Amino acid sequence: MFDGSYAVPDAKFLVSMIPSGFRFSDAVEKASKEYREAVARKTQYEAENADHATNVGIPHRNFPHCWRGENEQLYTTRALIDAEAKLKDAYLKAVEEGKAFPDSDEFYGPALKRHEEYLKALEAFELVVNKAANKYRSAILNEIDDLAIQAVRDADEAKAEYVEAEVAYRRAQAKLAGAVNRFAFAGSGGRIHSRNGIGMKGFGGPELWESHDGRITPELARALRLTANGSAVDIAIHPRYLVGGESVMKEK
């Protein structure tokens, strides 16, 4: 169990950084589900009430209802901008029809009330999310020793698999290099007694090998330096083993 001798990261930061692959207990899975659901409810509320969020730059300097953001810029809500547009239309209609001017509170009031509700609700949602995050973090820390042991075992198992795969890779690599060597000898009628620099820096090695119906391309032959004298031009492999056949020799 975690003894608290180290500084514990902020709850939401910790749960956001949990790597995949752990096999958690039912208690942790339950806390995780509660946290995800709390975040989802907050996100859904924000999406459904986005018109009342303070995230819209004011349309003009004398806009009546706005708030200063962290960057010192003034912002308002889409609902308040809509309310102002409707109020302007109401004033225009009142002038045209010679009626009394509308009460601006009837237009701005509902939007201001919803904005206030939005801010209070958002604060409440955030508290619920933080509470769920703290519960989730506590559940993880209660099992942190077991999780560490679990990870060590997984790493040991992976290391064994890695070593086994590396050994197989080295064997296959040696088998491939040997086979290319034999092809260089047989395919050239004995003229190439070694690979003439296959695998040397600046040249492709046996890992480039790819045949087509028992033949290789002239490009591959040059990349592997399957040539009479190490040149990148004079292919020593017999045309019957090259894609393109006799036409390859005519190009030289």
Side-chain angles (χ1 to χ4, degrees), residues 17-225:
M17 297 298 292
I18 298 172
S20 61
F22 279 124
R23 296 176 294 283
F24 291 118
S25 67
D26 291 343
V28 174
E29 291 291 357
K30 180 181 179 182
S32 172
K33 181 180 179 182
E34 291 175 357
Y35 172 71
R36 294 196 305 271
E37 289 176 347
V39 172
R41 287 195 299 270
K42 177 176 178 285
T43 301
Q44 182 178 357
Y45 178 83
E46 289 176 306
E48 292 175 350
N49 296 274
D51 286 350
H52 304 289
T54 313
N55 57 7
V56 183
I58 59 172
H60 48 77
R61 289 187 178 181
N62 61 346
F63 189 82
H65 300 289
C66 55
W67 299 270
R68 195 172 298 278
E70 293 181 359
N71 57 1
E72 295 302 312
Q73 297 296 314
L74 294 175
Y75 295 92
T76 187
T77 70
R78 287 200 293 265
L80 283 166
I81 291 178
D82 291 342
E84 186 193 36
K86 292 176 182 178
L87 179 60
K88 285 182 177 179
D89 289 341
Y91 261 88
L92 178 62
K93 185 175 181 180
V95 171
E96 290 176 341
E97 298 178 358
K99 295 182 178 181
F101 293 128
D103 183 354
S104 61
D105 288 342
E106 293 181 2
F107 290 82
Y108 290 122
L112 287 170
K113 182 179 180 181
R114 290 295 302 276
H115 176 63
E116 181 182 0
E117 290 175 349
Y118 176 85
L119 294 178
K120 291 185 180 299
L122 212 59
E123 183 178 358
F125 274 113
E126 188 64 19
L127 289 173
V128 171
V129 168
N130 286 336
K131 182 178 179 180
N134 280 309
K135 182 178 180 180
Y136 186 14
R137 178 180 65 176
S138 296
I140 291 174
L141 295 180
N142 283 338
E143 303 177 8
I144 204 73
D145 290 340
D146 291 337
L147 294 176
I149 293 172
Q150 179 188 121
V152 168
R153 290 172 178 167
D154 288 346
D156 287 343
E157 181 180 342
K159 176 63 181 294
E161 292 175 359
Y162 173 83
V163 170
E164 183 179 351
E166 186 176 34
V167 169
Y169 167 74
R170 297 300 180 190
R171 287 174 179 167
Q173 189 180 48
K175 181 179 180 181
L176 174 59
V180 174
N181 263 331
R182 294 192 295 276
F183 173 74
F185 177 82
S188 69
R191 285 187 292 171
I192 302 179
H193 302 291
S194 69
R195 286 173 291 143
N196 288 330
I198 289 175
M200 289 175 59
K201 184 177 181 181
F203 298 93
E207 66 274 5
L208 293 177
W209 180 267
E210 184 176 354
S211 66
H212 305 272
D213 297 326
R215 297 181 296 174
I216 65 173
T217 64
E219 292 77 17
L220 176 60
R222 293 189 179 98
L224 294 179
R225 302 189 75 189

